[in-house]
Every structure is written in structure tokens, then in C-alpha cells.
Amino acid sequence: PSHRVMCGLLGLKVAADLNEIDAMEELYLTLVPLLRNPTIPPATCLEVEMIYHSVCGDMQKAEQAADQLLRAVRDERDPRTLSRALCNIGIAYRLGGRMDDAEDVFRELLDLSLAHGLLSRISFAILGLIRVYLASGDVPRARAAMEKLEALTEADQDFHRSTVRLYFLVKLALQEG
């Protein structure tokens, strides 16, 4: 069941990115019985709950799952696993309006990613910070984060990340007038 849950978790993330609420609900209903299996790591169960409820469920449940997941991954030694959790926790906090918590998590993610050379996570962390700053109306901090992103990831040729960077460059230009 573990591989099925991990596939379902990935499906939830893709459906969330595509705003496919019906697909998320169907996946979640399929996953719930599997989450009761004792072989499924608690952090994975929390991640499923957090992602589902952040987008189309109960935001209070999403925040509770995010808080619990943050505590659960504190002892994680694999930086890739920890960084994945921090990515998702940061998003949940941002969607829940907990901008200070989201900023703290994205800063932790950035520090971890820099320390371990995780280029895609560096981009994700800084883009998360930019989203937080723009949502808070702090355009100067968003601009400073964008400049940091450009400096740290200038060799990054990933199409998706490049497109997202361009989107935020345009958004910043419009905000700055």
C-alpha cells in the first residue's frame, strides 16, 4: 500500500497544480482507507491530509496537519525528504494566511537547500518567499528575493522554473508601476 499512497500523494499535488478539484476529491477518497495501514509513515499521512485540505477541504485541518508534519519531520536526516515536507508545509501555511509561518518555513527550506546544493528547492523556496511577500503587499522584499533568485539560479535551464520566474518578474514590474 505504501507505493499506492505515494502515487496518490503525487496525484494530489498534480491535481492541485491543475486546479482539478474533482480529481483531488476522488484521489483523497481512494487514499483515506489506505492511510489507516500501519505501514504508511505518519508523515506521509499528514502530507496527504495537509495537501488535500489546503486546496479543497477544511483549512483548519490543513493547518493542524501542517503543524504536526513540521514537528514530525524535525528529526529527518535525509535533506530531500525534509525539503519536500518543508515545501508543502510552506504552501499550506501561505494558503491558510499564516504568512509569518510560511516565511519562516521557506527561509528554513532555503537554508537547507543551499547547504545541500538542492537547486530546484532553492528556486522553490525563493519563489515561495516571493509569493508570501506579494500576498503581504511587500513589493520591495519580493524584488529583493527575485534578485537573490536570479543570482543563485542563473544557470538553471528548467523550463517550468524559468516560466515561473518570468511570471513573477512581470508581476513585480506591474506592482512596481
Side-chain angles (χ1 to χ4, degrees):
S2 182
H3 67 285
R4 291 176 63 204
V5 171
M6 291 308 290
C7 287
L9 177 57
L10 180 60
L12 279 176
K13 292 176 184 181
V14 171
D17 282 347
L18 297 174
N19 201 29
E20 293 286 340
I21 304 303
D22 290 341
M24 288 187 74
E25 289 176 354
E26 184 177 335
L27 279 167
Y28 181 74
L29 290 175
T30 302
L31 287 170
V32 168
L34 299 173
L35 298 178
R36 295 185 196 112
N37 187 308
T39 65
I40 307 301
T44 302
C45 297
L46 290 167
E47 198 168 1
V48 167
E49 294 293 330
M50 179 185 68
I51 291 169
Y52 172 75
H53 288 293
S54 289
V55 177
C56 55
D58 180 333
M59 203 59 212
Q60 187 174 7
K61 288 181 181 178
E63 290 183 49
Q64 289 170 348
D67 292 340
Q68 291 173 355
L69 180 58
L70 188 58
R71 286 189 298 275
V73 298
R74 283 291 170 217
D75 295 328
E76 177 59 53
R77 293 180 186 257
D78 183 345
R80 296 166 300 173
T81 302
L82 177 56
S83 67
R84 183 188 80 213
L86 292 174
C87 288
N88 293 316
I89 293 165
I91 292 170
Y93 284 159
R94 181 178 55 82
L95 293 175
R98 290 172 56 179
M99 297 306 177
D100 291 340
D101 291 331
E103 181 180 2
D104 290 345
V105 168
F106 286 130
R107 287 191 174 285
E108 180 179 348
L109 172 61
L110 179 58
D111 292 343
L112 175 74
S113 301
L114 287 168
H116 293 280
L118 304 173
L119 182 61
S120 66
R121 299 291 200 228
I122 292 169
S123 293
F124 194 96
I126 297 174
L127 289 168
L129 288 168
I130 292 168
R131 284 180 173 95
V132 167
Y133 297 147
L134 287 175
S136 301
D138 194 340
V139 177
R141 286 178 76 193
R143 171 56 70 188
M146 180 57 77
E147 290 169 3
K148 186 172 192 168
L149 177 67
E150 293 293 318
L152 290 172
T153 63
E154 64 186 338
D156 186 5
Q157 298 299 314
D158 181 84
F159 177 76
H160 176 72
R161 286 190 298 270
S162 296
T163 303
V164 173
R165 277 197 314 269
L166 289 174
Y167 166 79
F168 280 111
L169 282 170
V170 169
K171 191 164 181 147
L172 276 168
L174 290 172
Q175 292 284 328
E176 292 168 331

